[in-house]
Amino acid sequence: MARPNSTVVVIAGDESARVVAGLDGLANVRAVQRPGGDMTRPAGREPHPTGGHRHSPRTPGDDAAQRVRAAVAQSHAAYVVHDVDPLGEVGAAWAGFFDRTAPAGTLEVAVEAALRSLRTEAAALPDYYVVLDPDALPETRRHWWFGVLAGVSPNRVVPAAADVATVRDTIGALRSGRWWPDPPDEWLHGLGRVVPDRAVLLG
């Protein structure tokens, strides 16, 4: 897949939809929300004076991944931000595997599904993850973000408080770093051997 014109940032956390919506309208930012949210401009809201981008109206039957792909392909903004994590199911399954809350085989199924999406270009890894309020996360989930993911690409997983101003400033200060393992097959297939207690927290 050709690299996009924009830097793609996934906002991760319970407040991700609210934060993504709050970033809409900022100059040089294209914000893409999940179809389940209100994708239209709130009544009475005036265009942002900086001339930033607005959300596109919802289209019946569209889905989150398709919206993200279209936004990334079409955008000429400096940043595309969204909360559709291509490794979301993998992270949840990894945490469930080590917390012993997920049925046997869940992690393997999630990994194969993610690899299939990446190979067919139905999804793509973002340039960065901004993880909201990581100190409030369960320990194993925190290890996923700042042990497993940050372990393979430290500068591409960044913590931030769950408020729009902080996330805006965090995005503006992102540092370059090595890319995710490419191809990701060996890395993702080996996740079951990455024990949380041995995944050094970098955040």
Side-chain angles (χ1 to χ4, degrees), residues 96-117:
F97 176 78
F98 285 105
D99 287 340
R100 299 184 179 181
T101 58
T106 301
L107 178 57
E108 291 79 2
V109 170
V111 165
E112 291 305 324
L115 286 172
R116 185 165 54 251
S117 293

Side-chain angles (χ1 to χ4, degrees), residues 6-8 13-14 18 32 46 76 89 93 99 102 105 110 137 146 152 158 169 172-173 177 180 183 190 198 200:
S6 305
T7 297
V8 180
D14 290 343
R18 177 180 59 79
V32 187
E46 296 300 322
H76 294 284
E89 294 298 322
D99 287 340
L137 293 173
F146 297 100
V152 297
V158 184
D169 293 343
W180 309 106
R198 299 175 187 171
V200 179

Side-chain angles (χ1 to χ4, degrees), residues 50-200:
T50 60
H53 298 270
R54 303 175 191 163
H55 295 309
S56 302
R58 289 183 61 187
T59 301
D62 67 0
D63 63 29
Q66 289 175 343
R67 292 182 64 83
V68 168
R69 289 200 307 274
V72 170
Q74 298 167 9
S75 177
H76 294 284
Y79 300 97
V80 173
V81 297
H82 64 87
D83 65 347
V84 184
D85 180 6
L87 297 181
E89 294 298 322
V90 176
W94 182 85
F97 176 78
F98 285 105
D99 287 340
R100 299 184 179 181
T101 58
T106 301
L107 178 57
E108 291 79 2
V109 170
V111 165
E112 291 305 324
L115 286 172
R116 185 165 54 251
S117 293
L118 294 172
R119 291 187 194 115
T120 61
E121 300 186 358
L125 294 174
D127 293 283
Y128 296 94
Y129 285 97
V130 174
V131 183
L132 305 178
D133 291 342
D135 290 342
L137 293 173
E139 184 176 2
T140 308
R141 289 294 291 176
R142 193 162 63 251
H143 274 282
W144 165 253
W145 291 114
F146 297 100
V148 178
L149 290 190
V152 297
S153 192
N155 288 348
R156 297 192 180 276
V157 184
V158 184
D163 66 81
V164 174
T166 299
V167 172
R168 177 199 63 205
D169 293 343
T170 298
I171 291 173
L174 291 171
R175 297 182 296 163
S176 61
R178 67 175 180 264
W179 189 245
W180 309 106
D182 186 19
D185 302 54
E186 182 177 357
W187 166 47
L188 293 179
H189 281 142
L191 288 176
R193 299 188 296 274
V194 183
V195 181
D197 289 345
R198 299 175 187 171
V200 179

